[in-house]
Amino acid sequence: MDRTLACGESVPALGQGTWNIGDDPAARAEEIATIREGVDLGLALVDTAEMYGDGRSEQLVGEAIRGRRDEVFLVSKVYPHNASREAMRQSCEASLRRLRVDTIDLYLLHWPGPVPLAETVDAFEALKRAGKIRHWGVSNFDTEAMQSLWRAPGGSGAQANQVLYNLGERGIEWDLQPWLRERGLPVMAYSPLDQGRLLRKRALAAFAKAHGLMPAQAAIAWLLAQDGVIAIAKTASRVRLRANAAALARPLSAAQLQELDRIFPPPAGPTPLAML
């Protein structure tokens, strides 16, 4: 199952997140094995950031994809305070060294910050011309921030917006998601299990049991059923990874989606963008 960036390039609909991965040396071998097995299972979009573990997650990802770079769609993010032309160049080059690659496939501004968007766009485009990144986008941008980006020279070159989106956090459906769809930008949905909080919801557990699913599979399958949504599921366990990947083969029916709408209603009005 694939999704398309704004430019039309296909990417996996279900990817792997790496927040908090790489911090524990005792877990390193399992974390690397999990990323590698995820690529084997089709979860070949791997998402990281310079912020995660102060670069340790990027280092771990680099080790995990060594020898398999051509199989992976690699996403990383730059701090907002590093979004000026010179600082972004330095940040990107540091990320490339940690990742042990020549190019990042999709480089995101982690959240809106103090650097003017026109300068940030110019910095992204300079990195593209230098061959250090292939595409760029943003993360944690609400509708107002996206509109500001679109007004900046070259801002419509963004390829995606990565935001918090799951059954328990559906606020983007009111205005941001329709705005993005009109312009062909996919939503990259991070924390599809709401950092595990969804798995403790009795209603989701009951739904999953009734339909022969695990709660995590139900939550991920719901995201995969949303048009133009790429789900980024983080796990450091091969057992949980396999369970997550199984959601690709268990699409939800229209009736099941309606049932989840009753359990987790869509927003009734504008909602501030949720972030973790």
Side-chain angles (χ1 to χ4, degrees), residues 3-258:
R3 293 289 188 263
T4 57
L5 301 178
C7 64
E9 181 175 336
S10 294
V11 299
L14 180 57
Q16 302 182 69
T18 62
W19 181 71
N20 270 356
I21 288 179
D23 291 340
D24 181 2
R28 190 175 186 85
E30 178 64 14
E31 290 168 347
I32 289 172
T34 299
I35 292 172
R36 290 176 175 166
E37 184 162 340
V39 176
D40 293 337
L41 294 174
L43 282 64
L45 187 154
V46 180
D47 176 84
T48 187
E50 67 174 348
M51 184 185 80
Y52 298 168
D54 196 23
R56 289 187 295 276
S57 290
E58 287 183 325
Q59 289 174 334
L60 185 136
V61 169
E63 185 173 347
I65 67 173
R66 185 169 49 189
R68 306 189 64 176
R69 175 66 184 95
D70 292 345
E71 302 174 57
V72 174
F73 187 89
L74 188 58
V75 182
S76 194
K77 310 179 198 71
V78 60
Y79 272 121
H81 61 262
N82 288 334
S84 64
R85 182 160 182 162
E86 180 57 26
M88 189 188 290
R89 181 189 64 79
Q90 294 176 5
S91 281
C92 183
E93 289 176 352
S95 289
L96 291 170
R97 287 193 296 271
R98 288 189 291 264
L99 290 162
R100 307 181 194 183
V101 299
D102 296 324
T103 305
I104 294 169
D105 294 305
L106 180 62
Y107 199 39
L108 306 178
L109 176 61
H110 211 146
W111 62 85
V115 179
L117 286 171
E119 182 176 356
T120 296
V121 171
D122 187 55
F124 278 132
E125 291 296 333
L127 290 174
K128 278 184 66 176
R129 290 192 298 272
K132 298 182 187 299
I133 66 172
R134 296 180 55 238
H135 307 290
W136 63 268
V138 295
S139 180
N140 295 305
F141 268 48
D142 62 13
T143 306
E144 183 178 353
M146 289 302 306
Q147 290 169 341
S148 296
L149 176 63
W150 240 240
R151 289 192 295 268
S156 61
Q159 296 297 310
N161 185 10
Q162 185 175 132
V163 295
L164 177 64
Y165 181 43
N166 55 55
L167 276 168
E169 294 286 356
R170 298 183 60 174
I172 69 166
E173 294 176 14
W174 183 261
D175 53 4
L176 178 59
Q177 193 173 35
W179 193 96
L180 295 170
R181 281 177 175 162
E182 286 177 5
R183 290 154 183 83
L185 270 75
V187 167
M188 299 184 75
Y190 70 79
S191 198
L193 307 181
D194 204 15
Q195 293 190 315
R197 284 183 286 269
L198 275 173
L199 304 183
R200 298 190 288 273
K201 299 286 187 182
R202 292 181 180 179
L204 180 61
F207 170 89
K209 183 177 181 180
H211 297 286
L213 297 164
M214 297 174 65
Q217 291 170 342
I220 292 171
W222 177 82
L223 278 174
L224 295 175
Q226 310 307 311
D227 183 42
V229 172
I230 300 162
I232 308 296
K234 175 251 177 176
T235 182
S237 157
R238 281 174 286 180
V239 172
R240 289 193 295 273
L241 172 85
R242 293 166 195 150
N244 292 347
L248 289 165
R250 299 292 305 274
L252 299 180
S253 67
Q256 289 171 327
L257 292 170
Q258 290 172 1

